[in-house]
Amino acid sequence: NAYMNTPIGITVEGANIMTRSFQIIGQGLTRCHPHMLELMQSLMAPKSEEKEAIAIFCRQFHKIVGHGLSNFAYSITRGIGSTVSTKTRSKTAYRNGDKLLDYHEKQLLRLSANFALTADLCFTLGGRLKFEELLMGRLADALGAIYMGYATLHHYHRRRGIDGLEAVTEHAMLRFEKEAQDALVEAADNFPGPLGGVASLAMRAGCFPLGSLTKPYRNPGDDLTKEVSRLVTIPGEMRDFFAENVYVAPEGSMHQVSDLMRALPVCVEADAVSARLRREKRDATEEEAAIIARADALRDALIQVDVYERFPSESASGYERPALKGTRRRMAELERKTFDDTAAQAV
């Protein structure tokens, strides 16, 4: 139809790779800095306002330097503090919701200071920054991970009380913190520009003052991953939480997502019955056999796929697959018409 044939208009901001590698840092670096925009505006002031513009420039320049030094100090102190708290933290500390929030808020504050320091160092590139897509992409990754971390903590704070939500939040936060750390490490290792070596050294000194010791974040362990997997694959509060606002079709209508959601409790119950029968080494009762049979029937229905004897386009009279048609044409143009002819000539 006409709607499907209409090209999709994609703006610069709508192209994901452009957003990541240019827009977020290229525009945000100046627009989001607390002092840089006024300094740039003072440079564009008319001649009649030159004296006032010089005063504004000097004042904003001093603020920028002070802001950078404070970011450097915050980055070091928070980095060391976060390293100590991470190294001494128990693997089960996340089960206490208040401690979970307090710990991860401090880690995000540390990463935010690291990011702010790195953003300040980007000013050493000047206009060259807009050509450094790799650097801007890494910083966008770090900013995105920090943003998602705060969003996760906000969501947890609003929905506290759901059984298992602490484990899921912990798993997500550990991944975000590791992603942000990795992005900043790669940025420090590959900082470009004529002053890249100096900026890289300053970034390492500020973000990771004790070297690898102040890179404490790791991906979630297998035990936590298995716990999260268990929570989302069995009926319970966590499963219901993720099913909120998911459309469920009426009983009897064809809707695979709805069928999967309804089948899960039945299949879990049947698996428990089967495990009990194996453990007790006995035959199923009539009621247990009915549960297992119902689960088998649901599984069988859910794994079915559409089957066609022929592709719909092949149903037309006289249809021939393009590949076969092309092969027949090329064979007709060859001196050796068949494989037997080729084999015979080879002998």
Side-chain angles (χ1 to χ4, degrees), residues 281-336:
K281 299 180 180 180
R282 63 177 177 84
D283 295 331
T285 65
E286 186 176 341
E287 182 182 355
E288 291 170 336
I291 293 173
I292 295 173
R294 186 185 176 203
D296 289 341
L298 287 171
R299 287 192 185 105
D300 185 63
L302 287 169
I303 65 173
Q304 298 304 312
V305 297
D306 295 332
V307 179
Y308 300 96
E309 293 184 4
R310 307 181 67 181
F311 287 110
S313 58
E314 295 180 14
S315 301
S317 177
Y319 176 85
E320 184 177 9
R321 292 186 182 181
L324 296 178
K325 187 185 298 184
T327 301
R328 186 174 291 106
R329 185 179 66 253
R330 287 191 293 273
M331 290 293 291
E333 295 171 354
L334 295 173
E335 294 179 1
R336 305 167 186 177

Side-chain angles (χ1 to χ4, degrees), residues 124-133 136 192-194:
T124 62
L125 294 169
R128 180 187 172 92
L129 175 64
K130 62 184 177 182
F131 300 105
E132 298 297 343
E133 294 92 343
M136 289 193 288

Side-chain angles (χ1 to χ4, degrees), residues 6 15 54 153 169 221 225 237 263 284 309:
T6 303
I54 292 174
L153 292 184
T169 302
T225 300
E237 292 183 31
E309 293 184 4

Side-chain angles (χ1 to χ4, degrees), residues 51-176:
K51 186 176 181 180
E52 183 181 355
I54 292 174
I56 293 174
F57 178 89
C58 293
R59 183 172 65 250
Q60 294 305 115
F61 179 77
H62 291 148
K63 287 182 178 179
I64 289 172
V65 173
H67 180 72
L69 292 175
S70 65
N71 284 336
F72 187 82
Y74 282 136
S75 190
I76 291 177
T77 55
R78 290 176 182 173
I80 294 174
S82 295
T83 298
V84 172
S85 63
T86 300
K87 296 293 185 182
T88 58
R89 186 175 184 245
S90 167
K91 289 185 177 180
T92 59
Y94 67 86
R95 294 175 183 172
N96 183 312
D98 292 331
K99 291 182 178 179
L100 173 74
L101 284 171
D102 181 65
Y103 169 76
H104 287 296
E105 282 178 358
K106 289 179 179 177
Q107 307 317 305
L108 292 179
L109 282 172
R110 177 261 173 101
L111 291 168
S112 297
N114 293 163
F115 176 83
L117 171 62
T118 307
D120 287 339
L121 292 172
C122 286
F123 287 121
T124 62
L125 294 169
R128 180 187 172 92
L129 175 64
K130 62 184 177 182
F131 300 105
E132 298 297 343
E133 294 92 343
L134 293 174
L135 173 65
M136 289 193 288
R138 291 180 179 117
L139 295 186
D141 290 343
L143 179 62
I146 294 169
Y147 175 86
M148 290 298 294
Y150 276 114
T152 300
L153 292 184
H154 173 72
H155 196 57
Y156 170 76
H157 181 71
R158 290 179 60 244
R159 303 303 301 269
R160 285 184 69 170
I162 296 174
D163 183 37
L165 188 57
E166 286 78 16
V168 176
T169 302
E170 173 78 0
H171 193 278
M173 292 305 302
L174 292 179
R175 289 186 59 189
F176 290 138

